[in-house]
Amino acid sequence: MLADLQLPENVTLVRSTPIFGSATVPPGLLKEHQIGTDVWGVIRVESGSLDFTFDDSGESRSLGDGDHQVIPPQVLHHVKPGDDSRFHIDFYC
């Protein structure tokens, strides 16, 4: 289940994206993409809403204010931000 995914204990934050909104989200995040080998992501919704989907399984989760979603390496996924969405992504190795 998506909500149960957790970062491994041995990873360290290496970078964070700027805060994105529905008008500023990079187009690549809206379509199927993946994080590289040995890189984990955490999408963090600061406000508003965002739908997150694993493309291979079709499993989806709606995120709201303060929610986050762990993204394992090399798993195809995409996001669909709501009109009021503000979010960023942290990357860990």
Side-chain angles (χ1 to χ4, degrees):
M1 183 171 201
L2 288 176
D4 296 331
L5 289 172
Q6 296 184 9
L7 288 173
E9 291 182 19
N10 62 337
V11 296
T12 302
L13 178 66
V14 292
R15 78 177 181 92
S16 298
T17 68
I19 295 172
F20 301 124
S22 61
T24 59
V25 61
L29 296 181
L30 303 174
K31 58 185 178 182
E32 185 178 277
H33 65 282
Q34 64 185 356
I35 300 173
T37 305
D38 299 326
V39 179
W40 288 75
V42 179
I43 189 162
R44 299 184 188 278
V45 178
E46 297 192 13
S47 62
S49 61
L50 179 139
D51 291 333
F52 178 90
T53 302
F54 279 145
D55 291 303
D56 286 343
S57 69
E59 190 174 5
S60 188
R61 179 177 178 213
S62 293
L63 305 172
D65 296 358
D67 288 340
H68 72 277
Q69 177 61 55
V70 173
I71 309 165
Q74 297 185 300
V75 175
L76 294 171
H77 62 279
H78 71 275
V79 300
K80 181 180 178 185
D83 292 339
D84 58 349
S85 182
R86 290 178 43 85
F87 68 96
H88 73 276
I89 307 164
D90 294 329
F91 295 97
Y92 297 81
C93 290

